[in-house]
Amino acid sequence: MKAAVERGASDIHIKAGDMVRVRVDGRLQPLSKQPLTPEQTRSIALQLLGTDGERAGVDTLTDHDCSYTLAGIARFRVNILRQRNAFSLVLRVIPESVPTLASLGLPTVFERIAAMERGMVLITGVTGSGKSSTMAALIHEINSFQEKHIVTLENPIEFHHADRKASVTQREVGVDTDSFRVGLRAALRQDPDVILIGEMRDAETIDTAMKASETGHLLISSLHTADAQSTIMRIMSMFPPEEQAVVRMRLADSLQAVVSQRLLPRAGGRGRVVACEVMIVTGAIRDFIAEGKIAEIRDFIADGAQYGMQTFDQHLAELVGAGLVDFEVAKAASTKPADFELDFRMGRDRQTGAYGSMRKTSASQATLASSEPTMAPPRVLMPDMQPLGTATPLGVPRIPTPAAPIPAAAMPAAAQPVAPVLPPLSPLDADGLGDHPLGFGDTLPPLRGATPAFGQPAEAPPAPKVNSPNPLASNGSDSVFSTGFEGLFGS
């Protein structure tokens, strides 16, 4: 265990019939050369069990979670299981020091998330994506700067939080409380400001968590989902179909933020970097959730940089641009690899959707525009008017500017351009409009013969002969169509 920590391992695998293996920078590597016997793995399990009662019933254990502290080295989250009628163990290394938002390299929007007063904040990702570290960093941020009571429910307790500006109560499921459901119900009577649940595993726990957030508490928890959209769908799917409409409305009211994480190998092969998608629940996203328009959320996240939102692909491209992650690694981890490669090659800057998916005209963009300051539409410049090395509003590189023309003042007098003499503009031409085919004013000009002076009554031309009666003429007089359109286009 000490050797694994010294190598920077995140997990230790101990199995009968196999050598000890450790996971370093995401790769599983052998730590020992000799395979372990079933007796050796059973002895290790006995040593790691926390109570005498658990040791007495070791041979009846099939799955068991606990924690173990190696003084001066690290703490470990332990899972004991049986496979092929022998014991196996998987240990997750927990550093003794609590991580901070800065040490994890998380975006600054996490400081705003930690400052939220109420609602539900979900940290999601696959197993081993750093969810526990991120939640611990959020609790550390609150503990350092806010005078609040924090209650945590974990199985087992991972990071130990010393009381700083806040008071932190940490309860372990199976030791301090019977289950997440029981502990969460009890927490509502313990005057909490912030509640952390290690994981929401069933509909009853989620229902109680939403009640806690609805009653004015900040609730932080985790789910094993890949992104914000799948998180919302997973929560809804845990409830019966007849309850999902109500759950969707409650979720729209209580959800505040969803952060989804992935750990990637650091460029150079030493260490790992977190890439995260951040969704801050704005009024528009609440409407999308309430109306069941979950598919439109992704485009809104891509366009929501001013709220601190970002998609995986946007953050991945930032990491590649900073030299923290190799391009091929980022492309393999991206949500849409083909789009990621195209957008990255185009090199659009972050504020106009940099490195993200191509902006689309959608309901999300229209809603976002309604909350932004009104801006004049971009001017469309001719190629010779476009600044060199800039991009159009659509991200297409502009044509380089040709050589600057010689100023007129520097030309010989004979070579200087002469402005053409144009006739005076009519009232309509001055407004940018051409002559109306039927004229303007109270009277229509004749379309045959001489044109009378402006404002003088026009002499009516003879009515054209038609084969069918004019339905708009009355008492034999010509209608506007007989003097206008029929005269222009014929009968």
Side-chain angles (χ1 to χ4, degrees):
M1 296 167 73
K2 181 179 179 181
V5 174
E6 291 175 348
R7 292 193 181 190
S10 61
D11 299 270
I12 306 173
H13 293 246
I14 302 172
K15 184 174 70 173
D18 192 13
M19 63 190 74
V20 177
R21 300 176 184 268
V22 295
R23 187 176 297 278
V24 180
D25 298 335
R27 295 183 293 272
L28 201 60
Q29 307 171 1
L31 183 65
S32 64
K33 297 182 179 179
Q34 299 295 328
L36 299 173
T37 65
E39 291 75 18
Q40 288 175 315
T41 57
R42 182 179 184 276
S43 176
I44 295 172
L46 283 170
Q47 184 177 354
L48 298 183
L49 288 171
T51 64
D52 293 337
E54 291 172 346
R55 297 188 188 96
V58 64
D59 293 322
T60 63
L61 293 179
T62 55
D63 294 283
H64 183 73
D65 292 318
C66 61
S67 59
Y68 181 79
T69 301
L70 192 60
I73 304 298
R75 298 183 66 252
F76 301 86
R77 185 183 71 193
V78 181
N79 178 262
I80 302 174
L81 64 145
R82 295 181 70 93
Q83 65 92 31
R84 297 181 181 177
N85 202 31
F87 283 102
S88 293
L89 302 93
V90 178
L91 289 71
R92 170 65 55 84
V93 180
I94 304 172
E96 286 193 318
S97 60
V98 179
T100 64
L101 298 177
S103 67
L104 296 179
L106 296 172
T108 55
V109 69
F110 277 79
E111 297 175 3
R112 291 169 47 196
I113 293 175
M116 292 178 175
E117 290 291 331
R118 63 188 63 82
M120 186 184 301
V121 175
L122 300 179
I123 312 297
T124 76
V126 299
T127 301
S129 59
K131 298 186 297 295
S132 297
S133 297
T134 299
M135 290 194 295
L138 284 172
I139 294 299
H140 178 76
E141 182 76 8
I142 298 171
N143 187 21
S144 301
F145 298 103
Q146 302 181 44
E147 297 173 340
K148 293 187 175 182
H149 181 208
I150 305 170
V151 178
T152 73
L153 298 170
E154 305 171 72
N155 185 23
I157 294 175
E158 299 187 24
F159 294 94
H160 283 171
H161 295 272
D163 295 334
R164 298 168 68 90
K165 204 163 188 179
S167 175
V168 184
T169 301
Q170 295 186 262
R171 308 187 70 194
E172 183 169 329
V173 174
V175 177
D176 303 313
T177 185
D178 293 334
S179 65
F180 282 112
R181 295 191 297 271
V182 174
L184 183 55
R185 289 197 199 98
L188 296 177
R189 298 188 293 273
Q190 294 162 5
D191 188 30
D193 298 294
V194 181
I195 302 174
L196 181 141
I197 306 174
E199 183 181 353
M200 296 195 298
R201 301 179 178 177
D202 52 53
E204 186 175 355
T205 303
I206 293 175
D207 179 69
T208 308
M210 286 193 290
K211 289 179 181 176
S213 61
E214 290 165 352
T215 52
H217 305 89
L218 178 63
L219 186 132
I220 303 173
S221 189
S222 69
L223 280 174
H224 288 83
T225 50
D227 53 30
Q229 287 180 287
S230 59
T231 298
I232 297 171
M233 299 301 295
R234 173 71 64 83
I235 292 176
M236 291 172 53
S237 66
M238 289 186 178
F239 292 85
E242 62 273 12
E243 299 180 12
Q244 291 182 3
V246 176
V247 171
R248 192 169 62 243
M249 298 298 296
R250 294 179 62 195
L251 189 63
D253 290 335
S254 60
L255 193 62
Q256 291 286 358
V258 177
V259 178
S260 303
Q261 301 185 175
R262 299 173 190 172
L263 286 180
L264 305 176
R266 185 182 293 270
R270 185 63 178 173
R272 290 191 286 178
V273 180
V274 61
C276 57
E277 176 181 278
V278 181
M279 181 186 77
I280 303 298
V281 182
T282 62
I285 291 183
R286 294 190 195 282
D287 292 340
F288 292 154
I289 297 174
E291 297 169 8
K293 299 178 180 179
I294 311 302
E296 298 186 22
I297 292 178
R298 187 184 305 278
D299 288 339
F300 194 90
I301 295 174
D303 293 333
Q306 70 269 39
Y307 300 110
M309 291 192 272
Q310 62 184 18
T311 64
F312 272 120
D313 291 0
Q314 287 173 332
H315 196 200
L316 286 171
E318 289 182 1
L319 295 174
V320 174
L324 298 176
V325 177
D326 293 331
F327 173 77
E328 293 300 329
V329 172
K331 179 182 174 182
S334 62
T335 304
K336 298 179 179 179
D339 292 346
F340 173 79
E341 181 174 12
L342 175 63
D343 293 347
F344 183 81
R345 299 299 186 193
M346 292 178 66
R348 293 173 294 166
D349 76 340
R350 173 70 189 273
Q351 292 183 350
T352 56
Y355 314 128
S357 57
M358 184 75 73
R359 289 177 182 258
K360 303 174 182 178
T361 302
S362 61
S364 64
Q365 188 173 4
T367 308
L368 178 62
S370 65
S371 61
E372 294 177 337
T374 304
M375 300 178 64
R379 294 177 57 197
V380 180
L381 303 178
M382 297 300 293
D384 59 344
M385 299 174 63
Q386 295 169 349
L388 180 62
T390 59
T392 65
L394 295 179
V396 180
R398 286 174 170 160
I399 301 173
T401 305
I406 300 175
M411 295 182 182
Q416 291 186 7
V418 178
V421 179
L422 300 177
L425 298 176
S426 68
L428 290 181
D429 287 332
D431 292 336
L433 300 176
D435 290 334
H436 196 285
L438 298 182
F440 52 91
D442 297 331
T443 60
L444 298 175
L447 298 179
R448 297 189 188 93
T451 303
F454 178 76
Q456 297 298 322
E459 181 181 354
K465 296 181 180 180
V466 296
N467 297 326
S468 59
N470 186 345
L472 299 181
S474 61
N475 300 325
S477 62
D478 292 329
S479 71
V480 66
F481 286 93
S482 66
T483 61
F485 285 105
E486 291 183 0
L488 181 63
F489 301 110
S491 58

